[in-house]
Amino acid sequence: MSPGEFSRRTAWSREPSELAALLEGAKQRGEKLIDLSQSNPTRVGLVDEGVLAKLRDPEGAHYAPLPRGLLAARESVVRYHARRGHSLSVEHVFLTASTSESYGWLFKLLCDPGEVVIVPKPSYPLFPFLAQLDGVSLEHARLMRHDGWRLDMEAIERRLVAAGPAVRAIVLVNPSNPCGAYVHRDDAAKLISLAADRQIALIVDEVFSDYPHAELSASSRLSFAGEDGALCFVMNGLSKVALLPQLKLAWIACSGPEVRRDEALSRLEIIADSYLSVGTPVQLALPSILDPVDSKQTGLRRRMAQNLDAIDAAIKQVGPSCPVRRMPTEGGWYAMMEVPRTRSDDEWIAHLLATERLVVHPGHFFDVEEQGVMVVSLILEAEVFAEAIGRAVRCWSRG
Ligand SMILES: Cc1ncc(COP(=O)(O)O)c(C=O)c1O
């Protein structure tokens, strides 16, 4: 099999990472691990078997596809955003199979091969794959720790006027993963004005936007839905909103100045028509899933608040000299922990696995540049989480 048969886009290294190899070894030895990096809701007791009944509409046996998705389904997306104070038109909503697919469609819509999309760093580890699959070049805008995490706006402005391949879009993750910061209102205003002036798009990933924590500051912008100052694509989906990643349904809400928005919609319609990727049963079920979704989220929000408290309690229990800190977070499913730099991050991961049977993610998994940062998922069952984080904090404190 000659490598020449295949595209350069898919020439990925398939060597398992050191962490993956360690985990595989532990699993093969039958060790019982607690996975503090788990972000699959169906693996942390958040299984909703009742949803299966909603997929049984007899209409689902028929096929009458619409590129944007079935009207009643899109109307329920509009109602979801209306409950959050944003008025959208049903014609501006497209259903997709996942947020990953939404990224793919938007990269195809906006970029020729080699053109640039700016993404935040640290951030979502899938970006390099999604970009490469569409021949898009990624450049990074750093999220910097000041009071909370703020985008390096000066670097973004410098890049937009610099020579080099054209920048076609800026991706915002609102709130960011794993930093947990909503886009600051001042930065949002600046980004909208830059995007409008330079005719670039904002792609705003809001999959975690329904999960603010108590620490949310007044200067944070909760959503870009319906923003019409610049061409904006707000993305969300059932994976996080309804804790149903297995159903594979997400959406893009497009807004912006009328002429550019309508051109985007017409082109996006042809992309959507080429794939028609969302199954009919899940589209038919969408209103019955999304309409009551707000109350469904309450339990997880309470669980995450308990888990944040459990981290703080574990640190307090070690005492005032505890070298472990929890970084402030405004929202989302993760907490970032600062741990002593007595070991490298990968050594910490191996040590925690060997001595405590705990799995956490190292910061570099999310492109965090500094050492001494660990990321834990907040969606685990509260009892399991409290026990595990207590052990992790004590282990990190021993150095
Ligand atoms: C920032 C971010 N966007 C999107 C996704 C994935 O969403 P989907 O399951 O709809 O592809 C994730 C998954 O963890 C994520 O962290």
Side-chain angles (χ1 to χ4, degrees), residues 144-150 181 328:
M144 301 184 304
R145 274 168 78 187
H146 290 308
D147 46 341
W149 295 85
R150 297 276 299 267

Side-chain angles (χ1 to χ4, degrees), residues 228-239:
D228 55 17
L231 187 59
C232 276
F233 301 94
V234 166
M235 306 187 300
N236 213 328
L238 291 187
S239 291

Side-chain angles (χ1 to χ4, degrees), residues 13-71:
S13 157
R14 280 165 287 163
E15 282 298 303
S17 68
E18 218 172 300
L19 174 60
L22 279 173
L23 279 176
E24 194 47 43
K27 275 185 199 150
Q28 279 178 7
R29 288 190 296 277
E31 291 172 10
K32 205 168 168 299
L33 307 175
I34 298 182
D35 187 356
L36 273 169
S37 71
Q38 185 57 262
S39 59
N40 176 346
T42 68
R43 297 223 174 121
V44 291
L46 298 169
V47 176
D48 174 5
E49 283 173 1
V51 80
L52 296 178
K54 298 180 179 172
L55 295 166
R56 291 203 193 119
D57 186 327
E59 267 306 303
H62 302 269
Y63 189 47
L66 287 173
R68 288 169 203 224
L70 299 184
L71 183 62

